[in-house]
Amino acid sequence: MQEKKSSFSSKLGFVLAAAGSAVGLGNLWRFPYLAAQYGGGIFLLVYLILAVTFGFTLMVTEIALGRKTGKSVVGAYRQLHPKFGLLGWVSALVPLIIFPYYCVIGGWVLKYLMVYITGQGPQAADDGTYFSSFIGDLGPSALFMFLFMGVTAAVVMLGVEKGIEKVSKIMMPILLLISVIIAGYVLTVDGAIDGLIYYIKPDFSKFSIKTVIAAMGQLFYSMSLAMGILFTYGSYMRKEDGIEESVRHIELFDTGVAFLAGLMIIPAVFAFSGGDESALGTGPSLMFITLPNVFESMGQGRIIGIIFFILVTLAALTSSISLMETLVSVLCERTKLKRIPACLIVFAVSFGLAMLSVLGYSSWSEFTIMGKQILDFFDFISNNVIMPLVALVTCILVGYILGTKTVEEEVELTKPFKAKKLYRVVIRYIAPVILLMIFVSSLLGVV
């Protein structure tokens, strides 16, 4: 039996699974940091405008092409145009690069969840030595990465309906509920309202081209674009379910969680730091150093820490599941392997690649590529180079070679395509320019 005949049992299952893919660690630490760095409310406004235009267009394109072909990202591009088969393989490189190092970070999250559950929260909320000593210790870091990857593999082995869909239906509502609870609690902290005003009130004097590029970049990465994920999930989508409506729901969920992440973090850090925007930091320093200190300052550090890292664990898992499923989908399709053997092969290869990132913080900490540590290099080459190029070439393929009708006809199988005119303009003219800007600005270090 070919695994590609699997499908989501309902529209809700598809929406929650796709939203789960989009909602990940990028929403929970990258979005708040960028919002604080690029003007707060004005960044939020720009992001929302881009989400309903640029993000909508690319998401509709990938889901529609995935469902139209019924294949993985490799098979889909090959079927759409023989000369673009290589683009599918290039796209499949993205989850192959991201999934291993994502599991390393997922392992860090699991470690911190355990730390708070066992009552060692204050130990983690120090000057950063706790975090650096943990990731520098090869054994524990590898163990937690292995555990996180193992949980991900267990879900993927269960299949589309019994694994991915079922888990998404459980985890996504819990994730949303926890986000609301933490955001609500944070706003009761003294000094948090100033951070709230900064976050939601647009200050047009802080608007710049960098704000637009940063918002575009975050949206591009946040919505799982150009990773092959939406092709894969689209291939599992039932023909009777509306694509346009589903994409709007996915966008609403993804943007809602990103907004709540900012609501959780920006007011809390503002209150903790006395309004210092730089306290938000970037990446690991925000998640594993700054926020534990913020939790301790609230007086309920352990409880908030447990709830928060449960939230982060759920978000990390929903994204890692989609990354692994994309790789398994390609392997099953190209080799005719069944799901479980394919999962085991992907797990083994990914574990080996993940160990490179683990070693990059321990035994190989002095080794760099292009001046970057191994994990940072993997992140750069996938997010800043491959993804924008894949999306750019896809826009050219659909907008000028195949024609937009290729996507429009698939969208209109159930209902009229309400945003058809917007779609045509964005896919042909706006998206290519935006993607080129992201690519060039990333390489030049503008953002």
Side-chain angles (χ1 to χ4, degrees), residues 48 60 161 190 257 343 408 423 431:
L48 292 174
V60 164
E161 185 177 340
D190 291 339
V257 172
C343 284
E408 293 164 4
Y423 176 81

Side-chain angles (χ1 to χ4, degrees), residues 221-291:
Y221 308 137
S222 173
M223 297 180 72
S224 298
L225 302 170
M227 300 183 189
I229 292 172
L230 296 177
F231 274 88
T232 303
Y233 279 11
S235 73
Y236 299 149
M237 187 183 187
R238 301 184 307 176
K239 290 288 188 180
E240 61 264 34
D241 294 330
I243 291 178
E244 183 176 13
E245 186 180 10
S246 296
V247 169
R248 292 299 188 193
H249 291 156
I250 295 165
E251 279 188 314
L252 182 63
F253 209 116
D254 177 61
T255 305
V257 172
F259 173 77
L260 286 170
L263 208 57
M264 284 186 283
I265 294 172
I266 292 178
V269 175
F270 260 65
F272 171 73
S273 65
D276 181 9
E277 298 171 24
S278 65
L280 281 152
T282 60
S285 65
L286 172 63
M287 185 72 71
F288 301 108
I289 299 174
T290 305
L291 285 177

Side-chain angles (χ1 to χ4, degrees), residues 6 8 62 69 71-72 129 140 142 148 159 176 200 212 254 296 300 336 343 398 412 419:
S6 300
F8 293 108
E62 294 194 17
T69 59
K71 297 182 181 296
S72 72
T129 57
F148 183 87
L176 184 60
I200 65 174
V212 178
D254 177 61
E296 287 306 307
Q300 297 291 334
K336 307 304 179 186
C343 284
V398 174
E412 292 176 333

Side-chain angles (χ1 to χ4, degrees), residues 82-93:
K83 293 184 179 180
F84 283 78
L86 178 61
L87 186 62
W89 287 108
V90 175
S91 184
L93 270 179

